[in-house]
Amino acid sequence: MAGNKKFIEALEILENERGIKKEIVLDALKEALEKSYKKNYLSPDSIVRVDIDPKTAKISLHEIKTVVEEVEDEDIELSLEEAQEINPNYKIGDVVENAVSPDIFGRLAAVQTKQILRQKIREAEKESLYNEFIDKKDEIITGIVDRVEDRFAIVNIGKTGAFLAANQQIPGEKLVEGQHLKVYVSEVDHGTKGTHIVVSRTEPGLVKRLFEMEVPEIYEGIVEIFSVSREAGERSKIAVYTKADDIDPIGSCVGPKGTRVKNIVEELHGEMIDIVEYSKDAATFISNALAPSNVINVSINEEDKSAFVVVPDNQLSLAIGKRGQNARLAARLTGWKIDIKSLSDAISEGLYSLEEVKHEEYKDIEEEMLAETTAEEVEAVEEVAEAVEEIVEESDLNEVVIEAMPNQDIVEEAVEEIIEEAPSAPVQETKKTVVDEDDEEDYYDDDYSKYDEEIDYDEFDKYYDED
């Protein structure tokens, strides 16, 4: 009885610590005993049934044979005479279950049973592990860094270790053994060698889940996340929206005094986060996604899902970002290909008309500039404005582009002066992304990196250094 009690206790330990249910272990033991008995005493084709009482762990063993007139295989058949010695009522075709004492298992059979049982328990443990973590795929779990190597780290996530590759770690973040770490479960592989769990710190899904954990309105479904784009270690953009009229989706994500987004930034090793509002109107959404830059106009091409965007001249560097990062993130966030031009370039290339420049917003900017200038400066601006009006009046076209006009320099200067002090929004300080030299060419090889050599970043750097 003492042995049986220990067996029951062992079953409970397996269930509590490894998540393997008692029934699975009992079934595995039954199968192991059946295989061992047939291997040592019968044939593989023999029929054997093993029963185990889950409360007492008592084992019963039965050989199952069919009653036949002439026996051809003693392992599966029994003669009528032998059957009737057991019970006179047996007849041809009946199935006889003959009880066998479990004591028949010798040392060799016991060793074989033990080996088979271990194998079955390992298989059950792998299956249990897979079933547990497949439900956590695309979720965040907290683990402890067990081991740190140059090319990977192992994170203890409870019952197993998860693999965190070097390219899935946030650039510039140094992991330390024993450190508590939030990771995103990106893959759960159930292979022949067991269950392998792959985690990440660079997936956009990590940012999404962190906002769900940190912002109650998102967790409750009042504010919803439309999309996330990310370049880990440097910058992320997240588009949010709400159907509730009395809720500010961006304010909810930022939190009181910025506490909510600050907590997420700290978890992401100082990564900058832009929160923008999603809109069903593609032009509005693209304009929002290009924050912190102001946008003058967005023209949509539905056929190839592309957008042509015009921004103030002094906002071009902000709209594109270093190595095209801001434009690239905006394109991923919106799902639209975005082509960005400064106002003066758009006009000079005939992509934007002078008449379109007369937008109410820029009339207000012009009036504000005039209010802050001296009398001499006012007179000079008025002279330029009169020259522009005279050129337009003398033209026979409704839309006149700079390339088709005389006195081109005058017009360009007038446009530049009107938009020189276009308003802009403050942004957080950006961090430099760490990219291996071998990967740099591939990393920046896209439609938006081409701008990097074409624009002046003085305004960009000044903008980001204000904080």
Side-chain angles (χ1 to χ4, degrees), residues 9-21 25 121:
E9 290 175 353
L11 291 179
E12 292 175 351
I13 291 173
L14 283 172
E15 184 168 19
N16 294 333
E17 294 185 2
R18 299 192 180 183
I20 304 174
K21 294 182 178 180
V25 179
I121 289 176

Side-chain angles (χ1 to χ4, degrees), residues 58-72:
K58 183 180 178 180
I59 299 173
S60 60
L61 174 65
H62 296 82
E63 288 183 9
I64 301 174
K65 297 182 179 181
T66 304
V67 179
V68 295
E69 187 172 348
E70 185 177 345
V71 175
E72 295 181 359

Side-chain angles (χ1 to χ4, degrees), residues 340-359:
I340 305 173
K341 293 283 185 182
S342 66
L343 178 59
S344 57
D345 285 345
I347 293 176
S348 65
E349 294 175 18
L351 302 173
Y352 199 67
S353 70
L354 188 64
E355 187 172 319
E356 289 176 292
V357 177
K358 295 179 180 180
H359 190 280

Side-chain angles (χ1 to χ4, degrees), residues 294-358:
N294 289 325
V295 173
I296 296 175
N297 186 66
V298 179
S299 300
I300 296 297
N301 186 332
E302 295 282 356
E303 290 185 5
D304 58 2
K305 206 170 184 181
S306 65
F308 173 65
V309 178
V310 180
V311 299
D313 286 29
N314 69 338
Q315 298 271 300
L316 181 63
S317 57
L318 286 175
I320 295 170
K322 286 191 174 180
R323 296 185 178 90
Q325 185 189 71
N326 194 57
R328 183 166 54 247
L329 288 173
R332 293 175 189 166
L333 190 74
T334 60
W336 288 74
K337 184 177 180 181
I338 302 173
D339 184 18
I340 305 173
K341 293 283 185 182
S342 66
L343 178 59
S344 57
D345 285 345
I347 293 176
S348 65
E349 294 175 18
L351 302 173
Y352 199 67
S353 70
L354 188 64
E355 187 172 319
E356 289 176 292
V357 177
K358 295 179 180 180

Side-chain angles (χ1 to χ4, degrees), residues 38 46 58 75 88 94 134 154-156 187 214 232 249 253 259-260 295 299 332 406 429 434 450 456:
K38 287 193 288 185
S46 302
K58 183 180 178 180
D75 291 332
D94 287 346
I134 192 63
I154 300 298
V155 182
N156 187 332
E187 185 178 344
E214 196 68 37
C253 294
T259 53
R260 293 174 180 174
V295 173
S299 300
R332 293 175 189 166
E429 182 179 357
V434 179
K450 64 185 179 182
D456 180 7

Side-chain angles (χ1 to χ4, degrees), residues 238-256:
I238 179 169
V240 296
Y241 68 99
T242 181
K243 296 177 182 177
D245 296 333
D246 57 339
I247 298 292
D248 174 14
I250 296 178
S252 298
C253 294
V254 173

Side-chain angles (χ1 to χ4, degrees), residues 8 59 195 278 373:
I8 298 298
I59 299 173
T195 299
Y278 165 72
T373 55

Side-chain angles (χ1 to χ4, degrees), residues 386-398:
E386 289 175 3
V388 172
E389 289 178 4
E390 184 177 342
I391 293 169
V392 174
E393 288 174 359
E394 292 176 356
S395 172
D396 294 330
L397 301 175
N398 292 327

